[in-house]
Amino acid sequence: AQTVTQSQPEMSVQEAETVTLSCTYDTSESDYYLFWYKQPPSRQMILVIRQEAYKQQNATENRFSVNFQKAAKSFSLKISDSQLGDAAMYFCAYSAMDSNYQLIWGAGTKLIIKP
Amino acid sequence: NAGVTQTPKFQVLKTGQSMTLQCAQDMNHEYMSWYRQDPGMGLRLIHYSVGAGITDQGEVPNGYNVSRSTTEDFPLRLLSAAPSQTSVYFCASSWEGNGYTFGSGTRLTVV
């Protein structure tokens, strides 16, 4: 069965600095998708970034980028120029066709931004 | 573009009452899911659908029913509310591996 592991329950970063959140996963599939979701105090779940496993190029969305290491089954999120609005829970998730594209979630990392 | 719309946003039920949480999406997504999120926890899958007329159970299906008669709508029914069902409920929809779009959630309290 596929699993997603986020080993950092909480991270903190100074405003304007860079922070990296870690995520590892386990799967026997070769074609799958990986995601980072953000959940701020409003509790809205927001898709931050998406990576397709067959694409070697790391996905980037403005200040958010990933380091996707397929062989190591690692999918870390880098947030550059951290802003107060980045404070949230960040969840790593996996999906694939063999599980009907249902999301398999990590436990989440709470990101604290220090002003 | 409304995305995923959930109603109501807040609800208080008495133990034993039934109710339906509504979810509608206007993106023509095949896949729809219901999650619950308890305080300090992640999301747990209740039921999901891979298309109109097709539903399946998730991790925590007991006490809930779903149906999918149209592509747009995916209501969640609580059959006989229990305090253990106090939670925040999220509906989400997706087109295959594109990533799910979430509704804003329903905060349900069962007293």
Side-chain angles (χ1 to χ4, degrees):
Chain A
Q2 297 91 347
T3 58
V4 177
T5 302
Q6 293 179 250
S7 58
Q8 305 154 317
E10 186 174 297
M11 293 280 288
S12 63
V13 62
Q14 207 72 33
E15 194 177 2
E17 297 291 304
T18 295
V19 64
T20 299
L21 308 184
S22 300
C23 174
T24 59
Y25 59 94
D26 189 24
T27 183
S28 57
E29 296 295 313
S30 58
D31 191 14
Y32 49 88
Y33 302 86
L34 296 164
F35 309 92
W36 280 98
Y37 280 88
K38 169 185 177 181
Q39 188 177 39
S42 66
R43 306 206 78 163
Q44 177 70 47
M45 291 293 289
I46 302 164
L47 178 61
V48 174
I49 202 163
R50 166 182 174 270
Q51 177 77 44
E52 299 175 51
Y54 65 87
K55 288 188 176 179
Q56 293 189 344
Q57 186 173 7
N58 290 325
T60 298
E61 289 288 342
N62 300 315
R63 297 182 296 107
F64 298 87
S65 61
V66 298
N67 183 6
F68 173 49
Q69 301 290 329
K70 191 171 184 179
K73 296 180 181 174
S74 171
F75 183 61
S76 60
L77 175 70
K78 185 172 83 171
I79 306 174
S80 303
D81 185 25
S82 297
Q83 300 176 359
L84 294 177
D86 295 334
M89 283 293 292
Y90 285 82
F91 293 96
C92 180
Y94 162 104
S95 79
M97 186 175 69
D98 73 321
S99 55
N100 287 315
Y101 297 108
Q102 293 309 302
L103 292 170
I104 297 170
W105 298 90
T109 297
K110 182 178 181 179
L111 179 63
I112 297 167
I113 311 294
K114 298 177 181 177
Chain B
N1 190 354
V4 178
T5 302
Q6 286 185 241
T7 56
K9 294 192 183 304
F10 301 94
Q11 183 71 49
V12 179
L13 286 180
K14 294 182 178 178
T15 297
Q17 286 185 316
S18 63
M19 79 160 294
T20 299
L21 306 185
Q22 301 291 345
C23 176
Q25 53 93 5
D26 61 359
M27 297 170 284
N28 201 32
H29 285 168
E30 284 184 304
Y31 296 83
M32 297 188 74
S33 303
W34 275 103
Y35 294 91
R36 62 177 287 174
Q37 186 177 33
D38 299 324
M41 305 286 287
L43 280 75
R44 291 188 291 171
L45 182 65
I46 304 172
H47 285 284
Y48 67 95
S49 170
V50 300
I54 307 170
T55 64
D56 204 349
Q57 296 180 352
E59 179 186 358
V60 288
N62 292 340
Y64 308 94
N65 273 353
V66 292
S67 60
R68 184 103 179 264
S69 56
T70 67
T71 299
E72 294 79 17
D73 300 301
F74 190 44
L76 177 72
R77 297 182 187 85
L78 278 71
L79 308 174
S80 178
S84 61
Q85 293 179 305
T86 294
S87 191
V88 179
Y89 291 83
F90 289 98
C91 179
S93 72
S94 174
W95 180 260
E96 293 186 353
N98 281 356
Y100 278 79
T101 300
F102 282 77
S104 57
T106 296
R107 186 179 296 274
L108 176 69
T109 302
V110 182
V111 297

Short mmCIF file of all heavy atoms in Angstrom, two decimals, chain A residues 33 35 37 39 42-47 50 52 91 95 97 99-107, chain B residues 31 33 35 37-39 41-43 45 48 50 88 90 96-104 107:
data_model
loop_
_atom_site.label_atom_id
_atom_site.label_comp_id
_atom_site.label_asym_id
_atom_site.label_seq_id
_atom_site.Cartn_x
_atom_site.Cartn_y
_atom_site.Cartn_z
N TYR A 33 1.01 10.99 -9.16
CA TYR A 33 1.04 12.44 -9.00
C TYR A 33 1.33 12.75 -7.53
O TYR A 33 0.91 12.04 -6.62
CB TYR A 33 -0.31 13.05 -9.38
CG TYR A 33 -0.71 12.74 -10.80
CD1 TYR A 33 -1.38 11.56 -11.12
CD2 TYR A 33 -0.42 13.62 -11.84
CE1 TYR A 33 -1.74 11.27 -12.42
CE2 TYR A 33 -0.78 13.34 -13.14
CZ TYR A 33 -1.44 12.17 -13.43
OH TYR A 33 -1.80 11.87 -14.71
N PHE A 35 1.44 16.10 -4.64
CA PHE A 35 0.88 17.42 -4.40
C PHE A 35 1.35 17.97 -3.05
O PHE A 35 1.63 17.21 -2.12
CB PHE A 35 -0.66 17.36 -4.35
CG PHE A 35 -1.28 16.66 -5.52
CD1 PHE A 35 -1.54 15.29 -5.46
CD2 PHE A 35 -1.63 17.35 -6.67
CE1 PHE A 35 -2.12 14.62 -6.53
CE2 PHE A 35 -2.21 16.69 -7.74
CZ PHE A 35 -2.45 15.34 -7.67
N TYR A 37 -0.47 20.64 -0.43
CA TYR A 37 -1.64 21.44 -0.09
C TYR A 37 -1.32 22.29 1.13
O TYR A 37 -0.61 21.86 2.03
CB TYR A 37 -2.85 20.55 0.22
CG TYR A 37 -3.57 20.02 -1.00
CD1 TYR A 37 -3.17 18.83 -1.60
CD2 TYR A 37 -4.66 20.71 -1.53
CE1 TYR A 37 -3.84 18.35 -2.71
CE2 TYR A 37 -5.32 20.23 -2.65
CZ TYR A 37 -4.90 19.05 -3.24
OH TYR A 37 -5.57 18.57 -4.33
N GLN A 39 -3.12 24.51 4.27
CA GLN A 39 -4.35 24.76 5.02
C GLN A 39 -4.08 25.85 6.06
O GLN A 39 -3.56 25.58 7.13
CB GLN A 39 -4.88 23.49 5.70
CG GLN A 39 -6.26 23.70 6.31
CD GLN A 39 -6.84 22.44 6.92
OE1 GLN A 39 -6.15 21.65 7.53
NE2 GLN A 39 -8.15 22.26 6.73
N SER A 42 -7.91 29.54 8.27
CA SER A 42 -9.28 29.56 7.74
C SER A 42 -9.80 28.15 7.43
O SER A 42 -11.00 27.96 7.21
CB SER A 42 -9.33 30.38 6.45
OG SER A 42 -8.59 29.74 5.43
N ARG A 43 -8.90 27.17 7.41
CA ARG A 43 -9.20 25.75 7.16
C ARG A 43 -9.48 25.43 5.68
O ARG A 43 -9.75 24.29 5.36
CB ARG A 43 -10.34 25.25 8.04
CG ARG A 43 -10.11 25.49 9.52
CD ARG A 43 -10.83 24.52 10.39
NE ARG A 43 -10.14 23.23 10.43
CZ ARG A 43 -10.35 22.31 11.36
NH1 ARG A 43 -11.22 22.50 12.31
NH2 ARG A 43 -9.71 21.16 11.34
N GLN A 44 -9.42 26.42 4.82
CA GLN A 44 -9.58 26.15 3.39
C GLN A 44 -8.37 25.34 2.90
O GLN A 44 -7.23 25.67 3.21
CB GLN A 44 -9.66 27.46 2.60
CG GLN A 44 -9.74 27.29 1.11
CD GLN A 44 -11.08 26.72 0.64
OE1 GLN A 44 -12.13 27.16 1.06
NE2 GLN A 44 -11.01 25.72 -0.21
N MET A 45 -8.61 24.28 2.17
CA MET A 45 -7.52 23.48 1.59
C MET A 45 -7.18 24.05 0.22
O MET A 45 -8.03 24.12 -0.67
CB MET A 45 -7.95 22.02 1.44
CG MET A 45 -8.11 21.29 2.74
SD MET A 45 -6.56 21.06 3.62
CE MET A 45 -5.76 19.86 2.57
N ILE A 46 -5.92 24.42 0.05
CA ILE A 46 -5.48 25.10 -1.16
C ILE A 46 -4.36 24.30 -1.80
O ILE A 46 -3.36 23.98 -1.16
CB ILE A 46 -4.97 26.52 -0.82
CG1 ILE A 46 -6.07 27.33 -0.13
CG2 ILE A 46 -4.47 27.23 -2.08
CD1 ILE A 46 -5.56 28.56 0.57
N LEU A 47 -4.53 23.97 -3.08
CA LEU A 47 -3.48 23.28 -3.82
C LEU A 47 -2.35 24.26 -4.12
O LEU A 47 -2.56 25.28 -4.76
CB LEU A 47 -4.04 22.70 -5.12
CG LEU A 47 -3.05 21.99 -6.03
CD1 LEU A 47 -2.43 20.79 -5.33
CD2 LEU A 47 -3.74 21.56 -7.32
N ARG A 50 1.81 20.89 -7.91
CA ARG A 50 1.52 19.53 -8.39
C ARG A 50 2.70 19.05 -9.23
O ARG A 50 3.26 19.82 -10.02
CB ARG A 50 0.26 19.56 -9.22
CG ARG A 50 -0.04 18.35 -10.08
CD ARG A 50 -1.31 18.59 -10.89
NE ARG A 50 -1.60 17.53 -11.84
CZ ARG A 50 -1.17 17.51 -13.09
NH1 ARG A 50 -0.42 18.49 -13.55
NH2 ARG A 50 -1.51 16.52 -13.89
N GLU A 52 3.94 15.70 -11.72
CA GLU A 52 3.65 14.44 -12.38
C GLU A 52 4.93 13.59 -12.36
O GLU A 52 6.00 14.08 -12.72
CB GLU A 52 3.22 14.69 -13.82
CG GLU A 52 1.96 15.51 -13.90
CD GLU A 52 1.59 15.88 -15.33
OE1 GLU A 52 1.54 14.96 -16.16
OE2 GLU A 52 1.35 17.07 -15.61
N PHE A 91 0.33 19.93 3.78
CA PHE A 91 0.15 18.49 3.62
C PHE A 91 0.70 18.03 2.28
O PHE A 91 0.41 18.62 1.24
CB PHE A 91 -1.34 18.12 3.67
CG PHE A 91 -1.99 18.34 5.01
CD1 PHE A 91 -2.68 19.52 5.28
CD2 PHE A 91 -1.91 17.37 6.00
CE1 PHE A 91 -3.29 19.72 6.51
CE2 PHE A 91 -2.52 17.57 7.24
CZ PHE A 91 -3.20 18.75 7.48
N SER A 95 -1.35 10.58 -5.41
CA SER A 95 -2.48 9.89 -6.03
C SER A 95 -2.02 9.15 -7.28
O SER A 95 -1.01 9.52 -7.89
CB SER A 95 -3.63 10.85 -6.38
OG SER A 95 -3.35 11.57 -7.56
N MET A 97 -3.66 6.22 -10.55
CA MET A 97 -4.83 5.62 -11.16
C MET A 97 -5.25 4.34 -10.44
O MET A 97 -6.44 4.07 -10.31
CB MET A 97 -4.57 5.32 -12.64
CG MET A 97 -5.79 4.83 -13.40
SD MET A 97 -5.48 4.64 -15.14
CE MET A 97 -4.36 3.24 -15.14
N SER A 99 -5.42 3.62 -7.47
CA SER A 99 -6.25 3.88 -6.29
C SER A 99 -7.32 4.90 -6.61
O SER A 99 -7.74 5.68 -5.75
CB SER A 99 -5.39 4.32 -5.11
OG SER A 99 -4.60 5.44 -5.45
N ASN A 100 -7.77 4.90 -7.86
CA ASN A 100 -8.85 5.79 -8.30
C ASN A 100 -8.56 7.26 -8.02
O ASN A 100 -9.48 8.03 -7.75
CB ASN A 100 -10.18 5.39 -7.66
CG ASN A 100 -10.74 4.11 -8.25
OD1 ASN A 100 -10.75 3.92 -9.47
ND2 ASN A 100 -11.19 3.21 -7.40
N TYR A 101 -7.29 7.62 -8.09
CA TYR A 101 -6.86 9.00 -7.91
C TYR A 101 -7.26 9.58 -6.56
O TYR A 101 -7.34 10.79 -6.40
CB TYR A 101 -7.36 9.90 -9.05
CG TYR A 101 -6.80 9.51 -10.39
CD1 TYR A 101 -7.61 8.89 -11.34
CD2 TYR A 101 -5.47 9.73 -10.69
CE1 TYR A 101 -7.08 8.50 -12.57
CE2 TYR A 101 -4.94 9.35 -11.92
CZ TYR A 101 -5.74 8.73 -12.84
OH TYR A 101 -5.23 8.36 -14.06
N GLN A 102 -7.53 8.69 -5.59
CA GLN A 102 -7.81 9.20 -4.26
C GLN A 102 -6.51 9.64 -3.58
O GLN A 102 -5.48 8.99 -3.74
CB GLN A 102 -8.52 8.15 -3.41
CG GLN A 102 -9.91 7.82 -3.91
CD GLN A 102 -10.76 9.06 -4.13
OE1 GLN A 102 -10.97 9.85 -3.20
NE2 GLN A 102 -11.24 9.26 -5.35
N LEU A 103 -6.58 10.72 -2.86
CA LEU A 103 -5.38 11.26 -2.25
C LEU A 103 -4.98 10.45 -1.02
O LEU A 103 -5.82 10.14 -0.18
CB LEU A 103 -5.62 12.72 -1.85
CG LEU A 103 -5.79 13.70 -3.01
CD1 LEU A 103 -6.26 15.06 -2.50
CD2 LEU A 103 -4.50 13.84 -3.80
N ILE A 104 -3.70 10.15 -0.95
CA ILE A 104 -3.12 9.56 0.25
C ILE A 104 -2.27 10.66 0.89
O ILE A 104 -1.38 11.21 0.24
CB ILE A 104 -2.29 8.32 -0.10
CG1 ILE A 104 -3.23 7.27 -0.71
CG2 ILE A 104 -1.58 7.77 1.13
CD1 ILE A 104 -2.53 6.09 -1.31
N TRP A 105 -2.58 10.94 2.15
CA TRP A 105 -2.06 12.14 2.80
C TRP A 105 -0.93 11.85 3.77
O TRP A 105 -0.92 10.82 4.46
CB TRP A 105 -3.17 12.83 3.60
CG TRP A 105 -4.33 13.30 2.80
CD1 TRP A 105 -5.46 12.59 2.51
CD2 TRP A 105 -4.49 14.58 2.20
NE1 TRP A 105 -6.32 13.37 1.76
CE2 TRP A 105 -5.75 14.60 1.55
CE3 TRP A 105 -3.70 15.73 2.13
CZ2 TRP A 105 -6.23 15.70 0.86
CZ3 TRP A 105 -4.18 16.84 1.45
CH2 TRP A 105 -5.43 16.82 0.82
N GLY A 106 0.00 12.79 3.84
CA GLY A 106 0.93 12.82 4.96
C GLY A 106 0.25 13.43 6.17
O GLY A 106 -0.87 13.96 6.07
N ALA A 107 0.94 13.40 7.31
CA ALA A 107 0.36 13.88 8.56
C ALA A 107 0.36 15.40 8.67
O ALA A 107 -0.31 15.96 9.54
CB ALA A 107 1.10 13.28 9.74
N TYR B 31 -14.19 12.89 -10.56
CA TYR B 31 -13.92 12.36 -9.25
C TYR B 31 -14.39 13.35 -8.19
O TYR B 31 -14.08 14.54 -8.24
CB TYR B 31 -12.42 12.10 -9.08
CG TYR B 31 -11.90 11.04 -10.00
CD1 TYR B 31 -11.54 11.34 -11.31
CD2 TYR B 31 -11.79 9.72 -9.57
CE1 TYR B 31 -11.09 10.35 -12.17
CE2 TYR B 31 -11.32 8.73 -10.42
CZ TYR B 31 -10.98 9.05 -11.72
OH TYR B 31 -10.54 8.08 -12.56
N SER B 33 -15.05 13.52 -3.73
CA SER B 33 -14.74 12.85 -2.47
C SER B 33 -15.29 13.64 -1.29
O SER B 33 -15.41 14.87 -1.37
CB SER B 33 -13.22 12.70 -2.28
OG SER B 33 -12.62 12.01 -3.35
N TYR B 35 -14.43 14.15 2.85
CA TYR B 35 -13.47 13.95 3.92
C TYR B 35 -14.05 14.53 5.21
O TYR B 35 -14.86 15.45 5.20
CB TYR B 35 -12.16 14.69 3.64
CG TYR B 35 -11.38 14.20 2.47
CD1 TYR B 35 -11.56 14.73 1.20
CD2 TYR B 35 -10.41 13.21 2.63
CE1 TYR B 35 -10.82 14.29 0.12
CE2 TYR B 35 -9.65 12.76 1.55
CZ TYR B 35 -9.86 13.32 0.32
OH TYR B 35 -9.11 12.88 -0.74
N GLN B 37 -12.36 16.11 8.94
CA GLN B 37 -11.14 16.52 9.60
C GLN B 37 -11.45 16.85 11.05
O GLN B 37 -12.18 17.81 11.33
CB GLN B 37 -10.51 17.73 8.90
CG GLN B 37 -9.15 18.09 9.48
CD GLN B 37 -8.48 19.23 8.75
OE1 GLN B 37 -9.14 20.14 8.25
NE2 GLN B 37 -7.15 19.20 8.66
N ASP B 38 -10.92 16.07 11.94
CA ASP B 38 -11.09 16.30 13.35
C ASP B 38 -9.99 17.24 13.86
O ASP B 38 -8.93 17.35 13.22
CB ASP B 38 -11.07 14.97 14.10
CG ASP B 38 -12.19 14.05 13.63
OD1 ASP B 38 -13.29 14.59 13.33
OD2 ASP B 38 -12.00 12.83 13.55
N PRO B 39 -10.21 17.91 14.97
CA PRO B 39 -9.25 18.92 15.46
C PRO B 39 -7.83 18.38 15.55
O PRO B 39 -7.60 17.31 16.13
CB PRO B 39 -9.82 19.27 16.83
CG PRO B 39 -11.27 19.03 16.73
CD PRO B 39 -11.42 17.83 15.82
N MET B 41 -6.02 17.11 13.33
CA MET B 41 -5.77 15.91 12.54
C MET B 41 -5.76 16.23 11.05
O MET B 41 -6.14 17.33 10.63
CB MET B 41 -6.87 14.87 12.82
CG MET B 41 -7.04 14.52 14.27
SD MET B 41 -5.73 13.48 14.88
CE MET B 41 -6.18 11.93 14.11
N GLY B 42 -5.35 15.24 10.28
CA GLY B 42 -5.44 15.37 8.84
C GLY B 42 -6.81 14.97 8.34
O GLY B 42 -7.76 14.78 9.11
N LEU B 43 -6.93 14.84 7.03
CA LEU B 43 -8.21 14.49 6.41
C LEU B 43 -8.35 12.98 6.29
O LEU B 43 -7.41 12.29 5.92
CB LEU B 43 -8.32 15.13 5.02
CG LEU B 43 -8.71 16.61 4.98
CD1 LEU B 43 -7.55 17.48 5.38
CD2 LEU B 43 -9.23 16.98 3.62
N LEU B 45 -10.79 10.02 4.48
CA LEU B 45 -11.73 9.82 3.38
C LEU B 45 -12.95 9.05 3.86
O LEU B 45 -12.83 7.97 4.43
CB LEU B 45 -11.03 9.07 2.24
CG LEU B 45 -11.84 8.80 0.99
CD1 LEU B 45 -12.20 10.12 0.30
CD2 LEU B 45 -11.06 7.91 0.04
N TYR B 48 -16.17 8.17 -1.78
CA TYR B 48 -15.77 8.86 -2.99
C TYR B 48 -16.54 8.32 -4.18
O TYR B 48 -17.22 7.29 -4.09
CB TYR B 48 -14.26 8.75 -3.23
CG TYR B 48 -13.75 7.36 -3.55
CD1 TYR B 48 -13.58 6.96 -4.87
CD2 TYR B 48 -13.42 6.46 -2.54
CE1 TYR B 48 -13.10 5.70 -5.18
CE2 TYR B 48 -12.95 5.21 -2.84
CZ TYR B 48 -12.77 4.83 -4.16
OH TYR B 48 -12.30 3.57 -4.45
N VAL B 50 -16.24 7.97 -8.65
CA VAL B 50 -15.41 8.10 -9.84
C VAL B 50 -16.24 8.48 -11.07
O VAL B 50 -15.73 8.48 -12.19
CB VAL B 50 -14.59 6.82 -10.11
CG1 VAL B 50 -13.68 6.52 -8.94
CG2 VAL B 50 -15.51 5.64 -10.40
N VAL B 88 -15.23 18.75 10.93
CA VAL B 88 -15.35 19.60 9.76
C VAL B 88 -15.32 18.69 8.54
O VAL B 88 -14.44 17.83 8.41
CB VAL B 88 -14.21 20.64 9.67
CG1 VAL B 88 -14.35 21.48 8.41
CG2 VAL B 88 -14.21 21.53 10.91
N PHE B 90 -15.25 18.17 4.41
CA PHE B 90 -14.82 18.78 3.16
C PHE B 90 -15.25 17.90 1.99
O PHE B 90 -15.08 16.68 2.01
CB PHE B 90 -13.30 18.93 3.10
CG PHE B 90 -12.75 19.98 4.01
CD1 PHE B 90 -12.23 19.64 5.25
CD2 PHE B 90 -12.74 21.32 3.63
CE1 PHE B 90 -11.71 20.61 6.09
CE2 PHE B 90 -12.23 22.29 4.47
CZ PHE B 90 -11.72 21.94 5.70
N GLU B 96 -9.03 13.33 -12.75
CA GLU B 96 -7.93 12.37 -12.67
C GLU B 96 -6.80 12.90 -11.79
O GLU B 96 -7.01 13.20 -10.63
CB GLU B 96 -7.46 12.00 -14.08
CG GLU B 96 -8.51 11.23 -14.85
CD GLU B 96 -8.04 10.71 -16.19
OE1 GLU B 96 -6.92 11.06 -16.62
OE2 GLU B 96 -8.79 9.94 -16.81
N GLY B 97 -5.60 13.02 -12.29
CA GLY B 97 -4.48 13.39 -11.44
C GLY B 97 -4.19 14.87 -11.38
O GLY B 97 -3.08 15.26 -10.99
N ASN B 98 -5.19 15.68 -11.74
CA ASN B 98 -4.94 17.13 -11.76
C ASN B 98 -4.90 17.77 -10.39
O ASN B 98 -4.55 18.93 -10.26
CB ASN B 98 -6.00 17.83 -12.61
CG ASN B 98 -5.71 17.69 -14.09
OD1 ASN B 98 -4.68 17.14 -14.48
ND2 ASN B 98 -6.62 18.16 -14.90
N GLY B 99 -5.28 17.02 -9.37
CA GLY B 99 -5.34 17.61 -8.04
C GLY B 99 -6.75 18.03 -7.70
O GLY B 99 -7.49 18.49 -8.55
N TYR B 100 -7.10 17.84 -6.44
CA TYR B 100 -8.46 18.11 -6.02
C TYR B 100 -8.65 19.57 -5.67
O TYR B 100 -7.79 20.21 -5.07
CB TYR B 100 -8.80 17.24 -4.79
CG TYR B 100 -9.20 15.84 -5.19
CD1 TYR B 100 -8.24 14.89 -5.52
CD2 TYR B 100 -10.54 15.46 -5.25
CE1 TYR B 100 -8.60 13.62 -5.91
CE2 TYR B 100 -10.91 14.18 -5.63
CZ TYR B 100 -9.93 13.27 -5.97
OH TYR B 100 -10.28 11.99 -6.35
N THR B 101 -9.83 20.07 -6.05
CA THR B 101 -10.30 21.38 -5.61
C THR B 101 -11.26 21.15 -4.46
O THR B 101 -12.19 20.33 -4.58
CB THR B 101 -11.02 22.11 -6.75
OG1 THR B 101 -10.12 22.29 -7.84
CG2 THR B 101 -11.52 23.47 -6.29
N PHE B 102 -11.04 21.85 -3.37
CA PHE B 102 -11.84 21.64 -2.17
C PHE B 102 -12.88 22.72 -1.99
O PHE B 102 -12.67 23.89 -2.33
CB PHE B 102 -10.93 21.63 -0.94
CG PHE B 102 -10.19 20.34 -0.75
CD1 PHE B 102 -9.07 20.04 -1.52
CD2 PHE B 102 -10.62 19.40 0.17
CE1 PHE B 102 -8.40 18.84 -1.37
CE2 PHE B 102 -9.96 18.20 0.34
CZ PHE B 102 -8.85 17.92 -0.44
N GLY B 103 -14.02 22.31 -1.40
CA GLY B 103 -14.98 23.27 -0.91
C GLY B 103 -14.48 23.91 0.38
O GLY B 103 -13.44 23.51 0.92
N SER B 104 -15.23 24.86 0.86
CA SER B 104 -14.79 25.62 2.04
C SER B 104 -15.12 24.92 3.35
O SER B 104 -14.72 25.39 4.42
CB SER B 104 -15.42 27.01 2.03
OG SER B 104 -16.83 26.90 1.99
N ARG B 107 -18.81 22.90 9.09
CA ARG B 107 -18.49 22.62 10.50
C ARG B 107 -19.74 22.07 11.17
O ARG B 107 -20.73 22.77 11.32
CB ARG B 107 -18.01 23.86 11.22
CG ARG B 107 -17.51 23.60 12.64
CD ARG B 107 -17.02 24.89 13.28
NE ARG B 107 -15.86 25.44 12.59
CZ ARG B 107 -14.61 25.09 12.85
NH1 ARG B 107 -14.35 24.20 13.80
NH2 ARG B 107 -13.62 25.65 12.20
#
